[in-house]
Amino acid sequence: MPDPESLPIDQIYVPVKKRKTLRPELVQEIAASILEVGQQVPILVRPDEGRLVLLEGLHRLEACKALGETTIIGVWGSAETAHHKTLLSDGAETEAKRDKMARLKKLRLEREAAERSPASADAIVETESAKLRSARSGTSIRRGSSDDPRSKTRTLSEWLTQQKRDGGRY
């Protein structure tokens, strides 16, 4: 990667597509950070017909403009470099979003089950507290133990009746 250098802000062109992604609240946060610790990450630019085209770092650039700076720390790059970085960050963001959506779905399903039946809510709380107790003690949860209410069903029809009563799926 090339060495960062000081670039004149007034010669940097921001493409229209990039301008649409500007978030003023983020610019304010970055400006406050630059005041405290300085600019830590350089922007990425490429030369184009006597001007510099911004590839990456819109919010850093706008924060420096808001602070009245005339120069900004940047590095030279190419459109391919910026595209590659975007693809890498999109992959990480997609994975994080997928994990978040899975957690939210699980919580929603648990809440819906609890709303359907007060007994099932007690079972969820009981199961979660048993998991916490076993995690603390280092033991595992044993299904079918004598104190487990599900172990009292002896036939399939009893089990189905219990599932219907508790709002479970079978």
Side-chain angles (χ1 to χ4, degrees):
M1 185 171 187
D3 291 332
E5 59 184 83
S6 185
L7 304 171
I9 288 179
D10 60 347
Q11 290 184 6
I12 299 173
Y13 168 74
V14 180
V16 176
K17 254 186 176 177
K18 282 209 181 293
R19 281 190 214 142
K20 291 180 181 180
T21 64
L22 186 64
R23 294 187 359 228
E25 66 278 358
L26 185 56
V27 171
Q28 291 175 350
E29 288 178 26
I30 293 173
S33 173
I34 290 173
L35 279 176
E36 288 180 26
V37 294
Q39 182 185 350
Q40 300 295 310
V41 181
I43 63 170
L44 184 64
V45 296
R46 69 174 172 83
D48 182 49
E49 300 176 9
R51 65 181 179 184
L52 303 173
V53 178
L54 181 71
L55 297 173
E56 186 179 290
L58 172 66
H59 292 94
R60 284 169 275 164
L61 176 67
E62 293 298 323
C64 285
K65 282 183 184 178
L67 293 172
E69 297 289 330
T70 57
T71 60
I72 187 168
I73 299 171
V75 294
W76 299 94
S78 65
E80 291 81 27
T81 305
H83 182 68
H84 182 69
K85 282 185 176 183
T86 302
L87 289 178
L88 290 176
S89 67
D90 285 349
E93 288 176 15
T94 303
E95 185 66 30
K97 286 180 183 177
R98 190 177 301 126
D99 290 344
K100 181 179 178 181
M101 292 305 293
R103 287 192 311 270
L104 290 174
K105 181 178 180 182
K106 180 182 174 190
L107 290 172
R108 180 179 51 84
L109 291 174
E110 288 176 356
R111 188 183 71 227
E112 287 174 357
E115 289 172 354
R116 271 184 266 148
S117 167
S120 65
D122 293 340
I124 290 172
V125 170
E126 182 180 313
T127 304
E128 292 301 319
S129 61
K131 285 179 185 177
L132 288 172
R133 282 193 304 272
S134 68
R136 287 184 193 141
S137 65
T139 61
S140 62
I141 300 173
R142 289 184 10 223
R143 300 241 182 233
S145 65
S146 60
D147 60 340
D148 187 356
R150 288 173 287 207
S151 65
K152 295 180 179 144
T153 58
R154 306 226 185 269
T155 64
L156 179 60
S157 62
E158 288 176 358
W159 182 81
L160 289 172
T161 305
Q162 179 183 0
Q163 289 297 311
K164 287 179 185 176
R165 181 184 67 233
D166 293 344
R169 292 184 181 178
Y170 52 89

